[in-house]
């Protein structure tokens, strides 16, 4: 059963369309994520799902009930949705305990105590109940806002950049904890972020938005390994597009030579294509026959990310452990580690 279903949803302000024909669904207990650059429409879409923005076209259904359409608009407070805002929106005159318990004031004192203490423990702030929001850091306030939204066990939880104030290590840890908590309680959730690692840590399904359109809705694995659009490939992970031609036996002839994977995703015989090459598709191997010249490198801690130039001037990205360093201008061998080929028609595909 679909817990959340969007069908051709459009949201606009005046003559400007902000969200353009978006469709996707989340099953009960699934965690979804909307990714995309700033200004792509993902927060506006989240607000439309919450009921803060009307839709100009399409339908939003929650638990198979129509909640938004041009002729129907159920107000936010009647949708049974929890929401975590970027600006936290905590009540400054209430303690941390009172903030978290705000949505469950109809429960007994003991039920409130147990629920609040459980959530504070889950977000790493056990014992902070008597404090006030002004006594907390921004990251701590963000975690309290998350606990408050979870307290009533909403049927749908919406999160707008919920970990943006946290440092990288705490963000990853808390994302995993929140995912486990949502799964344990069976809460369906939709997260908005521009951080793909955050999305990968949280989401069962994810989508990339660009200029108001949803380019692809898939598993995180599918977005990375089988992007449906140039822009998805560009936004998710890193890589380059290498020009080539599909041969009659479904190999691709490129500056790297004939490429072949276990499967070919996109492209037909004789077509001029761009092949997506990720850094993990290329292994620097001094004994390999394919040669390239190192033209740039970036230190990434456990590894270096190198830019290698082929004989025709094409550039590739490849990685090597940081204890084995190559110099700029050095000639290296490249070994392919491709198990499938992702192809796009040559040239940039506009949305």
């Amino acid at each position: 059963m679909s817990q959340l279903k969007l069908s051709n949803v459009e949201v606009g302000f005046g003559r400007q369309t902000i969200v353009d024909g978006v469709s996707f669904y989340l099953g009960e207990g699934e965690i979804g994520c909307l990714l995309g650059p700033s200004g792509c429409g993902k927060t506006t879409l989240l607000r439309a799902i919450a009921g803060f923005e009307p839709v100009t076209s399409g339908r939003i259904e929650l638990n198979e009930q129509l909640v938004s359409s041009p002729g129907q608009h159920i107000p936010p407070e009647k949708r049974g949705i929890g929401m975590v805002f970027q600006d936290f929106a905590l009540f400054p005159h209430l303690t941390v305990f009172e903030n978290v318990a705000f949505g469950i004031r109809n429960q007994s004192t003991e039920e409130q105590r147990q629920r609040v203490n459980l959530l504070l423990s889950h977000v790493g702030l056990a014992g902070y109940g008597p404090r006030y929001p002004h006594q907390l850091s921004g990251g701590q306030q963000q975690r309290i806002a998350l606990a408050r939204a979870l307290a009533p066990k909403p049927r749908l939880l919406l999160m707008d950049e919920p970990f943006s104030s946290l440092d990288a290590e705490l963000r990853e840890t808390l994302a995993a904890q929140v995912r486990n908590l949502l799964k344990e309680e069976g809460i369906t959730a939709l997260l908005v972020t521009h951080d793909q690692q955050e999305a990968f840590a949280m989401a069962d399904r994810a989508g990339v938005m660009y200029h108001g359109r949803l380019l692809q809705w898939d598993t995180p694995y599918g977005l990375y390994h089988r992007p449906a659009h140039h822009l998805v490939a560009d936004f998710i992970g890193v890589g380059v597009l290498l020009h080539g031609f599909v041969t009659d036996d479904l190999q691709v002839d490129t500056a790297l030579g004939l490429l072949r994977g276990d499967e070919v995703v996109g492209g037909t015989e004789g077509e001029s294509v761009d092949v997506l090459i990720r850094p993990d598709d290329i292994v620097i191997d001094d004994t390999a026959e394919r040669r390239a010249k190192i033209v740039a490198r970036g230190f990434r801690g456990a590894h270096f990310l190198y830019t290698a130039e082929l004989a025709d001037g094409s550039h590739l990205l490849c990685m090597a452990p940081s204890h084995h360093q190559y110099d700029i201008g050095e000639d290296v061998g490249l070994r392919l580690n491709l198990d499938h080929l992702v192809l796009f028609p040559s040239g940039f595909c506009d949305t």
Side-chain angles (χ1 to χ4, degrees):
M1 181 175 68
S2 296
Q3 186 78 5
L4 174 66
K5 182 178 180 181
L6 278 69
S7 304
N8 298 312
V9 169
E10 292 187 6
V11 181
F13 303 118
R15 296 182 178 180
Q16 184 179 10
T17 298
I18 307 298
V19 176
D20 187 4
V22 170
S23 299
F24 68 86
Y25 72 90
L26 278 175
E28 188 172 355
E30 281 192 314
I31 301 171
C33 179
L34 293 171
L35 284 154
S38 297
C40 70
K42 56 188 186 295
T43 293
T44 298
L45 182 58
L46 201 73
R47 289 177 57 82
I49 295 169
F52 298 123
E53 305 291 348
V55 303
T56 52
S57 182
R59 298 166 57 92
I60 299 175
E61 298 173 54
L62 183 59
N63 200 25
E64 300 187 345
Q65 176 190 7
L66 178 64
V67 295
S68 285
S69 72
Q72 170 91 352
H73 185 83
I74 293 179
E77 65 274 15
K78 295 185 178 180
R79 297 193 181 195
I81 290 176
M83 188 157 185
V84 181
F85 298 92
Q86 280 183 286
D87 60 359
F88 319 139
L90 297 177
F91 301 112
H93 61 290
L94 300 182
T95 65
V96 164
F97 183 97
E98 291 166 337
N99 264 281
V100 177
F102 188 81
I104 54 173
R105 291 168 296 171
N106 59 329
Q107 297 181 10
S108 70
T109 301
E110 179 60 21
E111 288 173 328
Q112 291 182 48
R113 186 189 65 80
Q114 290 182 6
R115 181 66 174 161
V116 171
N117 288 341
L118 173 66
L119 290 170
L120 289 179
S121 176
H122 274 300
V123 299
L125 293 175
Y128 278 64
R131 302 192 187 188
Y132 284 86
H134 73 270
Q135 297 174 307
L136 308 178
S137 69
Q140 290 170 333
Q141 290 183 41
Q142 197 165 38
R143 285 183 276 167
I144 296 303
L146 180 61
R148 183 181 64 183
L150 286 168
K153 298 184 179 180
R155 54 182 178 176
L156 176 66
L157 178 66
L158 304 178
M159 297 177 282
D160 188 5
E161 303 276 5
F163 311 121
S164 60
S165 294
L166 308 179
D167 60 60
E169 184 176 353
L170 182 55
R171 186 162 60 237
E172 186 173 343
T173 300
L174 186 57
Q177 292 173 342
V178 171
R179 175 181 167 82
N180 291 338
L181 182 58
L182 292 172
K183 289 297 183 181
E184 181 181 320
E185 300 199 346
I187 295 174
T188 307
L190 182 64
L191 164 76
V192 157
T193 183
H194 63 274
D195 186 330
Q196 58 186 274
Q197 296 307 316
E198 194 173 291
F200 290 170
M202 286 281 293
D204 300 306
R205 304 189 69 80
V208 175
M209 291 187 66
Y210 187 78
H211 284 179
R213 296 181 62 190
L214 184 64
L215 300 181
Q216 185 175 353
W217 181 255
D218 207 330
T219 63
Y221 181 94
L223 290 180
Y224 184 86
H225 287 287
R226 293 175 176 80
H229 194 284
H230 281 78
L231 292 170
V232 176
D234 183 60
F235 192 82
I236 301 294
V238 294
V240 299
L241 296 172
L242 191 64
H243 184 65
F245 295 90
V246 180
T247 64
D248 56 1
D249 54 0
L250 294 184
Q251 296 183 112
V252 181
D253 190 5
T254 72
L256 270 175
L258 284 173
L259 305 183
R260 184 178 184 87
D262 295 335
E263 59 178 315
V264 178
V265 183
T268 57
E269 181 182 327
E271 185 178 1
S272 175
V273 295
D274 293 327
V275 188
L276 175 63
I277 305 291
R278 301 283 197 191
D280 46 314
D281 293 329
I282 305 292
V283 178
I284 297 180
D285 183 347
D286 295 333
T287 66
E289 294 183 4
R290 293 181 178 90
R291 311 304 295 181
K293 181 175 68 174
I294 300 297
V295 295
R297 73 174 180 226
F299 183 61
R300 298 293 188 270
H303 66 271
F304 279 104
L305 180 65
Y306 292 99
T307 302
E309 184 177 85
L310 302 176
D312 73 339
S314 300
H315 286 179
L316 297 173
L317 298 175
C318 48
M319 294 184 296
S322 59
H323 60 264
H324 194 168
Q325 180 174 323
Y326 296 93
D327 294 326
I328 305 298
E330 187 171 350
D331 182 74
V332 297
L334 302 180
R335 176 166 50 86
L336 301 185
N337 189 34
L338 290 160
D339 59 6
H340 61 271
L341 300 180
V342 177
L343 313 180
F344 301 103
S346 285
F348 182 80
C349 290
D350 196 3
T351 57

